[in-house]
Amino acid sequence: MTAARVGVFGLLGSGNLGNDGSLEAVLGYLRAEHPEAVVDALCGGPEVVAARYGIPATRLHWYRGEYRTASRAGAIVGKGLGKLVDAVRTAAWVRRHDVVIVPGMGVLEATLPLRPWGFPYSLFLLCAGGRLLRTRVALVGVGADTISDRPTRTLVRWSARLATYRSYRDALSRDAMRAMGVDTARDEVYPDLAFALPTPPAGASPGPPGHVCVGVMDFHGGNDDRARAEEIHRRYLDGTIRFVRTLVGEGRPVRLLTGDACDAPVAGAILDAVGSPLVTAAEATSLADLMKETAAADTVVATRYHNLVCALKTGTPTLALSYAAKSDTLMARMGLDAYCHPAREVDADRLLGQFRALERSSAELRRTLTERNLVATAQLDHQFTALTAALFPATGHDHDHTLRETP
């Protein structure tokens, strides 16, 4: 039997730990269930992906300044030409594969600032190429949200329609795609792919007594908040600094976590503002590193979605500084919906009150998280079984799930 040619696609190797963790989960599935598959990537950071995961990787965009704002005439021309070149490059890459997997990530949402001609256009090229060239394209465990910007919404809707297989990381995402005109009748919901990653052994790296992890983010609101971006960021940063200062004043060691390269200046600003040896910043380069940090903490307060996933997966009581409905949905799935605080309107006093309540219920919440994690693991086993049935039907697995071709 000829080995399946499998591509993975997305903003991978670009500094976002959650995106790379989703890739790692899918690669783990492929190596365990389809070791004969020949895998490569079309991604944002090919050098990182090739070095870290040992697979060939190609740059997603021909124009290297794709995600920089184009102000000069040469840059504008370069970006425009790049869109045409990328259409050809993407089709040529898709043609070489039997299957392309988009592993998790919020590829169908605009909860953070996003331009339609950036990644939404790239995803549309992939899904349209897959349909035209008869390559199966799977959006696996992806995040979605209702999008108000019409060009972005149109590209996202057609990308989803043209995909061969879709599954979502929460019901909110499936409902959003249905609201945007996608037939989701056969689409399933499973936990985020990062819940399939291995968890550090219990007690492997215990932290100091009273240790709190605070996950921070370069947060300026979402696509619809551009006019208030700086105001939102300042309020978020000031509230977080006040919260950390209070913990330090009580003698609590605080470990700052990030989830993307762009978050480092925020951690630096908090370190400078608090100015205490009790506050340190982790240098995590993977979700595995983040899980080691959260497993060692008594409590976690975090903003980025995959900071929350890592904390919840390690069974650590967690409070979400929530910037989108996906965070609230995740917390509810894990039984901690009472412990969410709006990232757009951080109120240090109220946040501290929620933190105290979280710590008082710590033992009960750890038991709840243990139970919910067992459920998540079983659900993801079903996700991977369904994925094999949809994308690799010749492997002989017994199933009743047939390949979907949505119009």
Side-chain angles (χ1 to χ4, degrees):
M1 183 176 64
T2 305
R5 299 165 300 172
V6 180
V8 290
F9 177 95
L11 293 178
L12 309 165
S14 302
N16 184 286
L17 303 188
N19 291 1
D20 291 356
S22 299
L23 169 62
E24 188 176 340
V26 165
L27 290 178
Y29 150 72
L30 289 172
R31 287 164 179 163
E33 298 297 326
H34 304 281
E36 76 290 345
V38 177
V39 183
D40 74 312
L42 184 63
C43 60
E47 298 86 3
V48 172
V49 168
R52 183 173 295 167
Y53 303 109
I55 59 174
T58 303
R59 186 172 298 279
L60 180 59
H61 300 291
W62 173 79
Y63 181 63
R64 289 177 176 260
E66 174 62 34
Y67 291 105
R68 294 195 295 269
T69 301
S71 54
R72 295 180 305 174
I76 294 170
V77 170
K79 273 198 170 187
L81 179 60
K83 300 305 172 191
L84 299 176
V85 174
D86 285 346
V88 176
R89 291 175 71 251
T90 302
W93 183 80
V94 169
R95 184 189 291 274
R96 298 198 299 268
H97 297 84
D98 302 302
V99 170
V100 175
I101 296 174
V102 180
M105 305 177 286
V107 297
L108 303 177
E109 65 181 48
T111 52
L112 296 175
L114 184 70
R115 300 293 189 189
W117 52 85
F119 187 77
Y121 174 74
S122 300
L123 184 66
F124 173 75
L125 292 180
L126 171 76
C127 296
R131 178 54 63 95
L132 290 170
L133 299 168
R134 297 185 178 276
T135 296
R136 295 183 288 275
V137 174
L139 309 181
V140 182
V142 297
D145 206 346
T146 304
I147 298 170
S148 59
D149 178 70
R150 181 174 293 178
T152 304
R153 184 173 67 246
T154 299
L155 287 168
V156 164
R157 179 173 64 244
W158 276 103
S159 296
R161 284 177 172 173
L162 292 168
T164 306
Y165 174 91
R166 295 181 299 266
S167 65
Y168 306 99
R169 64 188 178 192
D170 50 43
L172 171 82
S173 298
R174 183 172 61 184
D175 292 346
M177 294 314 297
R178 184 184 300 123
M180 288 193 286
V182 177
D183 179 3
T184 62
R186 298 180 62 193
D187 298 353
E188 298 291 340
V189 172
Y190 301 100
D192 188 86
L193 288 171
F195 280 100
L197 296 174
T199 308
S205 304
H211 174 206
V212 180
C213 282
V214 177
V216 301
M217 180 178 177
D218 184 28
F219 179 61
H220 293 77
N223 233 26
D224 299 330
D225 297 317
R226 292 178 185 272
R228 300 176 51 232
E230 287 309 312
E231 173 196 340
I232 288 170
H233 180 68
R234 174 48 54 190
R235 182 164 184 173
Y236 169 77
L237 184 59
D238 288 349
T240 305
I241 287 170
R242 282 191 60 200
F243 175 71
V244 171
R245 276 190 180 137
T246 301
L247 295 180
V248 167
E250 296 172 355
R252 303 286 296 267
V254 175
R255 185 77 157 162
L256 302 179
L257 307 180
T258 58
D260 193 294
C262 67
D263 300 333
V266 178
I270 294 171
L271 286 169
D272 291 343
V274 178
S276 167
L278 286 174
V279 185
T280 57
E283 295 183 0
T285 60
S286 67
L287 293 192
D289 290 345
L290 282 178
M291 280 192 268
K292 288 177 185 173
E293 296 284 350
T294 60
D298 286 5
T299 316
V300 174
V301 178
T303 310
R304 276 203 181 272
Y305 183 83
H306 280 97
N307 277 194
L308 294 172
V309 170
C310 288
L312 296 167
K313 180 167 170 55
T314 56
T316 306
T318 302
L319 198 161
L321 282 172
S322 175
Y323 68 87
K326 62 183 179 182
S327 300
D328 299 334
T329 301
L330 171 66
M331 294 292 283
R333 176 193 283 270
M334 300 303 287
L336 277 78
D337 43 318
Y339 302 103
C340 295
H341 189 96
R344 282 174 178 75
E345 300 175 357
V346 177
D347 179 323
D349 293 332
R350 190 163 75 84
L351 179 62
L352 194 62
Q354 289 179 287
F355 177 79
R356 306 279 193 225
L358 178 76
E359 293 212 307
R360 285 194 297 271
S361 301
S362 178
E364 178 187 348
L365 294 175
R366 284 182 180 273
R367 289 192 294 271
T368 298
L369 288 172
T370 298
E371 295 166 1
R372 299 296 173 97
N373 275 304
L374 289 173
V375 172
T377 298
Q379 290 172 330
L380 280 170
D381 286 344
H382 184 260
Q383 160 71 102
F384 292 131
T385 299
L387 194 58
T388 290
L391 302 184
F392 305 96
T395 58
H397 290 244
D398 293 329
H399 59 83
D400 56 10
H401 181 108
T402 55
L403 189 65
R404 179 182 62 244
E405 292 289 344
T406 44

